[in-house]
Each structure stands twice: as C-alpha cells, then as structure tokens.
C-alpha cells in the first residue's frame, strides 16, 4: 500500500497511533534491521529530519538520496529517448532501491510550468508505477499528506475532537509556490469533518476536482473575502500558492498578486476577530510577509507543535504501511 495522499486512509486511527508514539506508550521497532530510502528532488528541513529520526526510532536506517546531487539525474517519462541530461530512469532506480529498502519516500515539487501535466503528479506516480514496496509521498506537485496529517493531529491536540471552523487562507508571497500543502490540508480537514472555509483572491482557485472531493466529506465554503473568513474561526491556516492559469508564466502571477500584498497577510487585527483561534503554517514561513511577528510569536501560534507532530504521524504511517 502507498501513502500518496490521505484519500482512503482512516485519519482518526493514524492520529491515535501518532498520539501513542508521542506519549511514549508505543515504542515498537517494526523497522529493526530494515532500511527506508528517502529521495529528495527538492530542499527540506522538517520532512528530511523527521523522517530520518522517525526511521531511527522505529529501529531502522534511512538512505537519503538527492537525484542530480548525491545520485544520478532521473527521467520519469515512459518511452523517453534519454539523449539529453537525464542519466537514469525511475524504472531502474526504483527496482534497484527496493532490493535494499522496504519503502521509498519521495519529495518532488511542482515546477509550475504545465498545470495539466503537473496536476497528475507524474514523478510521484512514476515511482508508484514501478515500485513493489510502499511509496510515501514527502510532498509532490499536488499533495503533502504527511503535513496535513500532522496538521489534523495538531488541531485535535489544541482544540479537542469534533468539527471546528477551519480557515485555509491564501497569503501574499513574492514567488508563486506549489499547491500541495493547501490541497492536502483542505482534503484532510474535510475528511476530519471540519467546517472548512477556503479564502483566496480571485484567480487563485485550488484544483476543481480536489474541491469536489472535499465536498463529499464536509461543508466547504470558498470565498474571496479574507476579512469575513476570519470572523469566529477556530483555526487559521495560512499558505501561499500559485495560480493554475499562470503555470508557465510565473512573472504574470507575480505581477497579478502585487495588489494583494497589504491585504492578504495574517496579522493581529485579523486574529482578534477569530474565536481565540490558533495560527498554523507548515513552515518554512516568511515572517512579516505571510504572518506578522506578533502572530507567529504569540501563544496562538501552533507552528512548532505542528512541525514536531510530523515526526509522530510519519512513524504512525510507516508502522501501518511496512
Ligand atoms: N513543512 C515541510 O514540509 O517542511 P520542509 O520543506 O522543511 O520539509
């Protein structure tokens, strides 16, 4: 079984397992004598460190590879004529690695060049196609399920179980960023039954199919009114992302978003209108761009607990899959 998104997983059960890992009640070593590969096409602090530590704490060993850095450049397209810059195909990479490792984690961001192609998660799915061991998504073009599971665990810890008014808000950022985190947060929040509000400026819609899926689980309101969205919120989850229609033209996205810089930031005034809401962000975060110092340094900020919970949920995922 793969962990490519939270779809099809019992999140309550995974969170219960993660809470037992966190409390120290569960200290099993299902990875004793085993190795897990972690393949990073992109930079990372939290994912890389928490996966390495989690694998160690489960009794195993992490093999970290960076295609194009510490391992060969990788081609993922089926039938590719490899006469350019790619040295090895995912077909061989995966089938060799699984002779050594019992699971493979993959981080592969969107390049923000071709929406229709990237929304299908082609690199992650190439790994899944060739693998016979579990593939764990460590953030792909469209999903970051380890992050959203940690987010749901954090909401549960801070606010208890049961539905909450959870606001996912777009924030201004100088660059166009992928939408894996907001997609996965929206999906997981809906799976948990939260009342989800997604606030973004016009033109910054999430994937239509993803929104349809969230509505199968819970009530989802989409709004362009950031001020109204904050009223009475229990959770404010901030994230910036690029507009689908500007994939391949990120300079147009950057020009378009200039008008939103002053308005689309999480600050003390907006937080004062919430229901004593908590502030969440996956990190890394640009201070005084996405969120003011006053909010991220306040008692309402859950960002460090969120990052810690990555460790516990990933142990729960690995213990279930392997
Ligand atoms: N939130 C998150 O995935 O952090 P990193 O990019 O540092 O791994």
């Amino acid at each position: 079984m793969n962990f490519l998104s939270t779809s099809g997983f019992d999140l309550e059960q995974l969170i219960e397992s993660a809470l037992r890992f966190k409390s120290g009640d569960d200290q099993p070593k299902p990875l004793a004598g085993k190795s897990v590969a972690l393949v990073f096409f992109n930079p990372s602090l939290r994912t890389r460190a928490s996966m390495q530590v989690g694998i160690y704490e489960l009794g195993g060993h992490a093999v970290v590879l960076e295609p194009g850095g510490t391992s060969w450049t990788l081609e993922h397209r089926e039938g590719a004529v490899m006469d350019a810059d790619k040295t090895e195909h995912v077909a061989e990479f995966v089938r060799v690695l699984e002779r050594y490792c019992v699971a493979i984690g993959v981080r592969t961001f969107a390049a923000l060049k071709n929406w229709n192609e990237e929304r299908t998660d082609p690199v992650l799915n190439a790994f899944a196609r060739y693998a016979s061991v579990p593939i764990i998504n460590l953030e792909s073009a469209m999903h970051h399920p380890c992050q959203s599971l940690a987010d749901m665990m954090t909401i549960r810890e801070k606010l208890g179980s049961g539905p909450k008014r959870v606001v996912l808000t777009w924030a201004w950022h100088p660059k166009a960023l992928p939408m894996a985190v907001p997609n996965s947060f929206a999906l997981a929040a809906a799976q948990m039954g939260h009342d989800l509000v997604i606030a973004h400026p016009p033109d910054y819609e999430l994937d239509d199919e993803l929104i349809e899926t969230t509505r199968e689980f819970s009530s989802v309101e989409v709004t362009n009114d950031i001020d109204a969205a904050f009223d009475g919120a229990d959770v404010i989850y901030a994230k910036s992302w690029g507009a689908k229609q500007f994939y391949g033209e990120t300079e147009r996205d950057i020009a378009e978003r200039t008008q939103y810089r002053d308005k689309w930031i999480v600050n003390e005034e907006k937080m004062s209108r919430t229901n004593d809401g908590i502030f969440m962000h996956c990190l890394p975060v640009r201070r005084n761009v996405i969120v003011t110092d006053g909010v991220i340094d306040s008692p309402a900020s859950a960002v460090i607990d969120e990052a810690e919970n990555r460790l516990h949920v990933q142990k729960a995922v690995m213990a279930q899959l392997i």
Side-chain angles (χ1 to χ4, degrees):
M1 186 194 288
N2 297 321
F3 188 63
L4 305 184
S5 82
T6 53
S7 189
F9 285 85
D10 182 337
L11 303 193
E12 298 276 7
Q13 192 180 62
L14 283 168
I15 290 169
E16 289 298 335
S17 169
L19 288 165
R20 286 194 299 277
F21 277 116
K22 187 170 184 174
S23 68
D25 290 347
D26 267 5
Q27 300 183 34
K29 304 283 179 200
L31 297 183
K34 296 177 176 151
S35 295
V36 174
L38 304 175
V39 183
F40 282 91
F41 288 86
N42 312 99
S44 166
L45 165 64
R46 282 142 289 271
T47 306
R48 180 173 170 149
S50 59
M51 284 299 289
Q52 285 188 273
V53 170
I55 291 163
Y56 169 77
E57 289 182 1
L58 294 177
H61 168 73
V63 176
V64 181
L65 297 165
E66 295 144 325
T70 53
S71 66
W72 304 111
T73 49
L74 275 186
E75 175 62 67
H76 68 276
R77 293 169 301 160
E78 279 187 273
V81 178
M82 292 171 55
D83 57 0
D85 59 338
K86 301 291 169 57
T87 306
E88 181 149 43
H89 199 282
V90 171
E92 286 73 51
F93 181 92
V94 164
R95 290 183 292 201
V96 169
L97 262 188
E98 66 185 22
R99 298 287 174 101
Y100 315 138
C101 298
V102 295
I104 303 173
V106 187
R107 164 161 288 199
T108 171
F109 290 169
L112 289 92
K113 288 187 176 154
N114 181 329
W115 168 253
N116 287 326
E117 185 184 323
E118 292 177 44
R119 71 175 294 281
T120 67
D121 256 336
V123 180
L124 182 73
N125 283 318
F127 275 76
R129 186 161 55 248
Y130 294 113
S132 57
V133 297
I135 298 293
I136 302 171
N137 184 351
L138 303 179
E139 188 174 349
S140 65
M142 286 293 284
H143 285 282
H144 196 354
C146 294
Q147 181 63 53
S148 62
L149 191 53
D151 298 334
M152 296 309 125
M153 175 178 175
T154 308
I155 294 171
R156 164 82 170 273
E157 281 184 316
K158 299 281 180 195
L159 303 175
S161 23
K164 306 288 177 295
R165 180 176 163 86
V166 170
V167 176
L168 166 63
T169 178
W170 186 89
W172 182 86
H173 187 286
K175 288 163 58 179
L177 299 177
M179 57 173 73
V181 168
N183 278 343
S184 279
F185 182 83
L187 177 59
Q191 282 178 271
M192 293 292 287
H194 292 306
D195 298 324
L196 178 64
V197 179
I198 304 174
H200 58 70
D203 284 343
Y204 287 85
E205 290 79 16
L206 293 177
D207 184 56
D208 295 337
E209 197 178 314
L210 184 282
I211 295 295
E212 268 177 46
T213 306
T214 62
R215 289 194 165 123
E216 290 168 16
F217 295 103
S218 188
S219 80
V220 182
E221 177 194 338
V222 179
T223 178
N224 300 141
D225 185 345
I226 187 173
D227 289 320
F230 274 66
D231 289 339
D234 299 306
V235 175
I236 297 296
Y237 195 97
K239 187 72 185 80
S240 193
W241 62 87
K244 295 177 284 191
Q245 59 274 31
F246 296 136
Y247 270 47
E249 307 177 281
T250 51
E251 62 293 338
R252 282 189 61 201
D253 192 325
I254 289 158
E256 169 73 15
R257 63 179 53 205
T258 307
Q259 60 187 306
Y260 303 125
R261 178 166 189 164
D262 295 336
K263 184 89 174 163
W264 289 81
I265 181 171
V266 180
N267 59 22
E268 293 89 323
E269 186 281 318
K270 291 193 186 83
M271 288 301 292
S272 73
R273 288 187 286 101
T274 66
N275 180 29
D276 279 333
I278 58 170
F279 171 76
M280 301 181 71
H281 189 280
C282 61
L283 304 181
V285 69
R286 295 195 183 214
R287 281 172 172 256
N288 303 308
V289 170
I290 301 283
V291 56
T292 59
D293 285 340
V295 171
I296 197 169
D297 293 330
S298 76
S301 176
V303 298
I304 305 301
D305 294 318
E306 242 181 299
E308 180 194 334
N309 286 339
R310 293 290 305 278
L311 170 65
H312 310 300
V313 298
Q314 287 156 197
K315 286 168 72 178
V317 168
M318 286 189 280
Q320 180 170 323
L321 294 184
I322 301 167

